[in-house]
Amino acid sequence: MTSRPKVITTFEAYRSIQPFYTGGDAGLSRNGEVLVTCLGEEALLTNLHTGQLLARVEGDGEVLTALLVTPSVSHLIACSRSLSMRIYSLEPSNDSPALLNAVLQRTLKPHTTPVITAAVDCTGTLLATGGADGVIKVWDINGWYVSHTFRGHAGVISALHFFEAHESVIQSRTSAKLRQKSQRSQEADDDGHAVVTEEEKSSALIFYLASGSEDGKIRIWDLIKRKAITTLDSHVSVVRSLSFSRERNALLSASRDKTVIIWEARTWKAMKVVPVLEGLETAGFLSTGELFYTGGESNVLRVWETVMGREVTKEQVVGTEDSGILHILYNPLLNFLVTVHTNQTLVLHSLAPLLALQPGGKLDPLPILRHLSGTHDEIIDLSYVTQDRDLLALATNSEDIRLVSLATRTADINSSATGQYFGADVALLQGHEDIIICLDVDWSGCWLATGAKDNTARLWRIDRTNQSYESFAVFTGHAESLGAISLPSQPPPVGSTARSNPLDHPPSFLFTGSQDRTVKRWEVVPKSIVKGDKRNPRAIYTRKAHDKDINAIATNHNSTLFASASQDRTVKIWSVEEGEVQGVLRGHRRGVWSVKFAAKETPPITGDSGPASSSRGLILTGSGDKTVKIWSLSDYSCLRTLEGHTNSVLKVIWMPLPQHNNDPEGSEPSRQRGVQIASAGGDGLVKIWDANSGECDCTLDNHTDRVWALAVNPSDGTVISGGGDSVVTFWKDTTSSTIAASAAASTARVEQEQQLQNYIHHGNYREAITLALQLNHPARLLALLTTVANTNPPDPTSLSGLTAVDDVLQHLADEQLFTLLLRLRDWNTNARTAPVAQRILWVLAKSYPAARLAELKGKGKGSGLKDVLDGLRAYTERHYKRMEELVDESYLVDYTLREMEAVGFVDEDIAMTGVVV
């Protein structure tokens, strides 16, 4: 029997969806393109329109307490709990102009306590930091020195804001007294507010800094006179936000005491106190200052009139207790604002409806342009959805399903409104009241089933064309949370309406498994799609299936069998129609986490005891005993056990079968490949296995936590893995390209080796040495240099023996020169090859200046020039010592020879005397 040739399988992580915000500060550039966020101790800069990661700045091991970017994106300032403040300059990357390089410029210790809040002025030249010690410092960003230090607050600094305004009435009067000028007459208007003279109106703008603290007080600091000009004391709780409107000449302050106060900058008196009836975290003026926004513990964005203090937006649904708005990112040049929420999501709201606001009118809540998930938390399950498989459904340890775009095209600046780029959130499926544990999709990708801890299952209708994602049916009946769900995977007959229009034909049934140890088959009534039909789905039958929790359910290719896997270490095979047990798979030593039926076209595989028939099909299981098992449905026996994971196997899938028809030329390796399976484990690894040999073809590693979810695209074989590290990785099958590249490299190497042989044969030492260095052939290079060194007679002016070789050695690139030094070091360790090494080393020392040699650097640890020279010196000293010993011994040889010659002369004389006698 001819064995199938071994094909090396390779996969490459070519894309990933990673978290970019896990809480803390967030900032936005002036043009609205660059978003800066905290990711634990790291700072990330992301293109808000395309979702592209521009730069990642590593932290110092402590969580960031303050983070901001200058309006022009020239500098990034990061403060952490380690009391350090790191300043980075941001420059375009040399590799790609779209990316940024963050270069650390300075590390400072600004305060004796952690920096709680920081602010940058509109010019990007001044930085203010406020610490927990109540001290405020103003820094010159270009020179990085402290220009101002303000003390006066009794508690933690909670808000800072730079602004420019005309000199206030208080300052003007004080200045007049100090300058001993005549006092200017002041009149009062009908409201009792001071009237500013024309001279005051025409006065130059003055830079101010407003600061708020946890004691509820606000201080206004004059940056020119370096002192506080007034203290505003009306809030009774922490001041969380400050904003200034030059058009209104007013300062806005928001506090957790559930009020917003508008302060008149001429007299620093309260113009308006607006009770918002919620603890605020952020607020600010919009555009010309006629409106302002607020956000806080109610988790809703609200817009108010500045003069009347009336809410413009209609009443909205208040969020839950653990939700809220932390920050609102706004720039007057943008037509949207970004709300940052406590659940690590960012929402873009359009400001266009404000343009049509009528006096005294009301508006609907600002429309949402896009959702951004800062982190997907722990990814429990995932699946491709839609007919084109261009969306990804994620169950993310929450009560909602997130639909993420898999679009491959690059988005333009207008994509912020559509979200059509890779990784963008498209929709949020809301309906469950507790964490979603499992999900499954039907053959078409238009129907998604989910099971949650709220003891219910839901069927969702996914209409990508009309942007409609709605809950179609709710299945209620289990006594405990659902842990498994399955939809039929058999497509309808070709030509049927259900095949051509799957959106109007939901699956006829679905299976659920629960911690109550039962499985249920639910009827899905097609008529329920008609409006007005309120009938609830009913369970066709309920079966007590296992002795422990049910972890997984799967349906076979023709919807005649389904399997349930449980923590009781067994897998049961059931008939779909009757719900009767057909067989039990026993053999796992711990609970079974995943089960999958093989496709109809799966060929027979070779088991541990020889070839096995797969006429009834195959089934795959993964268990907490760290093994994967392949079973035959003919006799329910285990065909093969795959071992390799170091932790529980949490998910298993069958890889798509190789396509034999209309294959492109480059997919020949795929046709040679047999049946493959993929498994994901608690060790954070994804493994691809050969089902026939039981060997692991390759291991995919891109996760730092256990991998719960695994899916494969049937059209191109792309594997998707999602884990507890909130990362979704897309693995591309690169087997064909890897084999093609390997074959091309092998062919090129054979041709180069033949060319090297030709050079040596014809005596072209220049080309031969250069090619030997390139091919990394130490033995042939040594033979070449030995031949050159032993050339007889040598060229008169040559150092090595041949002038052509001298020219080659004198014009080596740095990498070639360092490689040659490494070879000389190795050859110098052997007494037989040391003379050649010493000769070539002497040529290099004569040909290159010491400065050039000192700049040589190798790749890897311990491969510097110093290490090479140390190795050369040690053996060179040993060789010279041996030569000195040989010279010393030569004197003894000379003495012995001379004495032997003397003895020989005496013997000859005696012999001649005897003859004469």
Side-chain angles (χ1 to χ4, degrees):
M1 180 178 177
T2 304
S3 60
R4 182 172 35 99
K6 176 66 177 178
V7 176
I8 300 176
T9 301
T10 59
F11 278 79
E12 178 185 56
Y14 76 106
R15 273 186 172 180
S16 63
I17 300 175
Q18 300 191 10
F20 66 89
Y21 177 69
T22 55
D25 278 352
L28 193 64
S29 63
R30 181 185 291 118
N31 59 8
E33 289 188 4
V34 178
L35 175 70
V36 56
T37 53
C38 296
L39 184 65
E41 65 182 63
E42 297 181 335
L44 269 63
L45 289 92
T46 309
N47 188 309
L48 183 62
H49 303 301
T50 65
Q52 182 183 17
L53 179 63
L54 304 179
R56 179 186 294 267
V57 181
E58 295 184 358
D60 57 3
E62 295 288 344
V63 176
L64 295 177
T65 58
L67 178 69
L68 68 164
V69 65
T70 56
S72 61
V73 199
S74 61
H75 292 85
L76 176 74
I77 298 95
C79 305
S80 70
R81 287 183 182 174
S82 64
L83 307 184
S84 68
M85 179 173 69
R86 301 185 309 280
I87 301 98
Y88 299 86
S89 64
L90 302 176
E91 303 171 353
S93 173
N94 295 328
D95 299 332
S96 174
L99 304 180
L100 295 174
N101 279 338
V103 181
L104 181 63
Q105 297 292 325
R106 195 74 59 89
T107 300
L108 304 170
K109 184 179 179 181
H111 297 266
T112 57
T113 57
V115 175
I116 303 302
T117 184
V120 174
D121 75 323
C122 60
T123 64
T125 58
L126 293 178
L127 166 70
T129 57
D133 53 3
V135 177
I136 301 169
K137 293 185 179 181
V138 180
W139 305 75
D140 184 285
I141 292 182
N142 295 324
W144 295 119
Y145 59 85
V146 178
S147 60
H148 303 73
T149 300
F150 298 128
R151 293 179 174 86
H153 285 288
V156 176
I157 306 300
S158 56
L160 292 170
H161 182 68
F162 285 100
F163 65 94
E164 295 176 277
H166 294 285
E167 189 176 31
S168 67
V169 173
I170 297 174
Q171 287 177 287
S172 63
R173 290 173 178 171
T174 304
S175 300
K177 290 180 181 179
L178 293 175
R179 293 191 301 264
Q180 297 181 350
K181 292 184 177 180
S182 60
Q183 296 185 357
R184 293 173 293 182
S185 60
Q186 299 292 331
E187 298 179 357
D189 59 8
D190 296 336
D191 297 331
H193 295 139
V195 177
V196 183
T197 64
E198 293 300 325
E199 181 182 356
E200 290 171 345
K201 292 181 180 179
S202 61
S203 61
L205 292 174
I206 299 177
F207 283 93
Y208 295 97
L209 174 65
S211 61
S213 67
E214 65 177 3
D215 59 5
K217 294 182 180 181
I218 302 170
R219 281 179 166 81
I220 308 300
W221 308 89
D222 188 326
L223 297 183
I224 297 178
K225 297 180 180 179
R226 300 173 179 268
K227 66 177 184 179
I229 62 172
T230 187
T231 300
L232 311 179
D233 188 3
S234 292
H235 288 292
V236 295
S237 186
V238 182
V239 178
R240 292 296 298 140
S241 185
L242 296 167
S243 177
F244 185 81
S245 172
R246 184 181 299 179
E247 293 80 4
R248 308 291 301 182
N249 197 30
L251 177 72
L252 177 150
S253 62
S255 170
R256 288 180 181 170
D257 62 6
K258 304 183 180 181
T259 63
V260 170
I261 301 179
I262 310 297
W263 306 86
E264 188 181 27
R266 295 180 298 170
T267 60
W268 294 116
K269 293 182 179 180
M271 295 173 53
K272 193 74 177 179
V273 178
V274 182
V276 296
L277 304 180
E278 67 165 318
L280 294 178
E281 294 295 326
T282 180
F285 284 110
L286 285 169
S287 186
T288 59
E290 296 179 359
L291 302 171
F292 67 88
Y293 59 82
T294 61
E297 61 186 11
S298 65
N299 199 39
V300 293
L301 173 63
R302 304 162 74 184
V303 181
W304 307 74
E305 284 185 347
T306 302
V307 176
M308 303 300 296
R310 181 181 63 89
E311 184 176 0
V312 173
T313 49
K314 296 179 180 179
E315 186 177 355
Q316 305 174 57
V317 179
V318 178
T320 58
E321 293 182 358
D322 58 345
S323 62
I325 295 177
L326 290 177
H327 311 282
I328 295 180
L329 310 179
Y330 170 71
N331 190 295
L333 301 178
L334 305 177
N335 58 358
F336 64 89
L337 55 76
V338 182
T339 56
V340 183
H341 300 256
T342 54
N343 60 354
Q344 292 91 43
T345 60
L346 287 77
V347 182
L348 275 68
H349 299 264
S350 174
L351 298 177
L354 299 180
L355 301 176
L357 178 63
Q358 299 296 326
K362 282 276 190 177
L363 289 177
D364 292 328
L366 297 183
I368 295 176
L369 299 177
R370 198 168 87 223
H371 282 271
L372 300 175
S373 297
T375 174
H376 291 299
D377 201 1
E378 188 169 4
I379 297 173
I380 300 176
D381 206 351
L382 56 79
S383 179
Y384 283 101
V385 291
T386 74
Q387 290 180 286
D388 297 331
R389 302 299 192 265
D390 59 350
L391 292 183
L392 187 66
L394 298 177
T396 60
N397 201 26
S398 68
E399 61 274 12
D400 304 324
I401 290 289
R402 295 176 181 175
L403 297 183
V404 179
S405 173
L406 300 182
T408 56
R409 59 182 178 273
T410 302
D412 56 19
I413 193 169
N414 296 321
S415 294
S416 60
T418 60
Q420 300 304 311
Y421 67 85
F422 179 82
D425 286 15
V426 174
L428 200 64
L429 306 185
Q430 298 177 317
H432 283 289
E433 298 177 356
D434 208 337
I435 296 175
I436 298 173
I437 300 297
C438 53
L439 57 82
D440 192 25
V441 67
D442 74 333
W443 67 273
S444 67
C446 298
W447 296 93
L448 177 70
T450 57
K453 284 187 176 181
D454 59 3
N455 305 349
T456 66
R458 284 178 178 264
L459 184 64
W460 306 84
R461 183 174 181 268
I462 311 298
D463 186 356
R464 176 67 161 147
T465 304
N466 298 317
Q467 300 292 313
S468 173
Y469 313 99
E470 58 183 5
S471 176
F472 177 75
V474 181
F475 305 88
T476 305
H478 282 288
E480 296 188 41
S481 63
L482 274 70
I485 197 165
S486 178
L487 289 172
S489 58
Q490 183 182 17
V494 178
S496 62
T497 56
R499 184 69 173 261
S500 59
N501 188 16
L503 284 170
D504 292 338
H505 297 81
S508 58
F509 64 87
L510 64 83
F511 288 101
T512 57
S514 168
Q515 288 185 358
D516 61 11
R517 304 168 190 176
T518 65
V519 294
K520 291 177 180 288
R521 179 185 172 183
W522 302 87
E523 178 186 17
V524 181
V525 182
K527 292 182 180 179
S528 61
I529 198 172
V530 180
K531 295 182 180 180
D533 191 347
K534 302 297 183 181
R535 288 184 296 173
N536 294 325
R538 64 181 183 87
I540 298 177
Y541 57 74
T542 301
R543 298 288 183 267
K544 172 67 169 62
H546 294 273
D547 297 329
K548 292 185 179 181
D549 298 353
I550 298 174
N551 294 328
I553 288 182
T555 309
N556 72 340
H557 60 86
N558 58 6
S559 299
T560 59
L561 299 174
F562 75 94
S564 60
S566 170
Q567 283 294 109
D568 63 6
R569 300 176 293 181
T570 65
V571 176
K572 292 186 178 181
I573 311 300
W574 308 74
S575 63
V576 170
E577 293 299 329
E578 296 82 11
E580 300 296 333
V581 176
Q582 305 297 306
V584 180
L585 309 181
R586 293 185 174 89
H588 283 296
R589 299 186 300 276
R590 290 194 178 181
V592 184
W593 283 102
S594 182
V595 60
K596 284 290 180 181
F597 283 94
K600 178 181 179 181
E601 301 82 7
T602 304
I605 68 169
T606 302
D608 294 331
S609 57
S613 172
S614 62
S615 57
R616 291 197 59 190
L618 303 171
I619 194 169
L620 183 66
T621 59
S623 167
D625 60 9
K626 311 174 188 178
T627 65
V628 178
K629 289 181 179 289
I630 304 175
W631 309 78
S632 171
L633 294 177
S634 300
D635 54 2
Y636 305 108
S637 62
C638 179
L639 300 178
R640 188 170 293 281
T641 300
L642 312 178
E643 298 179 348
H645 282 284
T646 58
N647 209 322
S648 301
V649 178
L650 303 175
K651 200 76 171 182
V652 292
I653 56 173
W654 295 89
M655 296 295 290
L657 296 173
Q659 301 295 324
H660 295 273
N661 298 324
N662 302 323
D663 269 358
E665 183 179 355
S667 62
E668 182 63 29
S670 299
R671 294 197 298 269
Q672 298 177 3
R673 246 176 7 211
V675 180
Q676 288 184 320
I677 59 178
S679 62
D683 51 11
L685 302 176
V686 177
K687 291 182 177 288
I688 309 297
W689 306 83
D690 187 321
N692 284 283
S693 65
E695 297 179 358
C696 179
D697 287 342
C698 63
T699 300
L700 316 180
D701 185 6
N702 193 47
H703 293 275
T704 58
D705 203 343
R706 62 186 62 190
V707 181
W708 286 104
L710 201 62
V712 62
N713 191 327
S715 60
D716 59 9
T718 299
V719 177
I720 305 180
S721 58
D725 55 1
S726 187
V727 175
V728 180
T729 305
F730 294 76
W731 304 93
K732 182 180 180 181
D733 189 349
T734 58
T735 301
S736 299
S737 59
T738 300
I739 292 178
S742 177
S746 298
T747 302
R749 191 173 185 84
V750 169
E751 293 175 353
Q752 288 177 330
E753 289 180 352
Q754 181 60 49
Q755 193 175 16
L756 177 61
Q757 293 284 6
N758 296 338
Y759 288 150
I760 296 175
H761 180 72
H762 293 92
N764 296 333
Y765 294 109
R766 175 196 295 268
E767 292 80 2
I769 292 174
T770 303
L771 192 55
L773 284 171
Q774 178 182 348
L775 295 176
N776 194 19
H777 280 182
R780 292 184 178 178
L781 182 61
L782 176 61
L784 281 170
L785 296 177
T786 302
T787 303
V788 172
N790 296 332
T791 300
N792 193 14
D795 292 347
T797 59
S798 174
L799 299 176
S800 63
L802 291 176
T803 305
V805 175
D806 289 352
D807 185 60
V808 173
L809 297 178
Q810 291 169 359
H811 295 85
L812 295 175
D814 288 350
E815 184 178 356
Q816 293 176 328
L817 182 57
F818 191 82
T819 302
L820 182 56
L821 287 174
L822 290 175
R823 298 290 168 257
L824 297 179
R825 180 193 62 182
D826 298 339
W827 298 336
N828 195 49
T829 59
N830 193 315
R832 291 179 299 177
T833 57
V836 177
Q838 291 292 328
R839 179 77 174 269
I840 303 302
L841 181 62
W842 178 66
V843 174
L844 297 180
K846 290 286 187 179
S847 304
Y848 295 95
R852 168 78 182 280
L853 297 175
E855 294 176 354
L856 296 178
K857 294 181 180 180
K859 297 180 180 179
K861 186 178 180 180
S863 59
L865 181 64
K866 184 179 181 300
D867 299 310
V868 176
L869 296 181
D870 288 343
L872 285 168
R873 182 180 59 185
Y875 281 93
T876 299
E877 290 176 352
R878 185 179 301 180
H879 294 322
Y880 276 103
K881 184 178 180 181
R882 185 171 62 252
M883 292 173 62
E884 291 175 356
E885 292 175 353
L886 289 174
V887 172
D888 293 342
E889 292 175 358
S890 68
Y891 290 115
L892 178 60
V893 173
D894 291 341
Y895 172 76
T896 303
L897 290 176
R898 285 197 302 270
E899 291 301 320
M900 291 177 64
E901 290 177 355
V903 172
F905 293 147
V906 172
D907 292 341
E908 289 179 0
D909 293 342
I910 293 175
M912 292 176 63
T913 303
V915 172
V916 173
V917 174

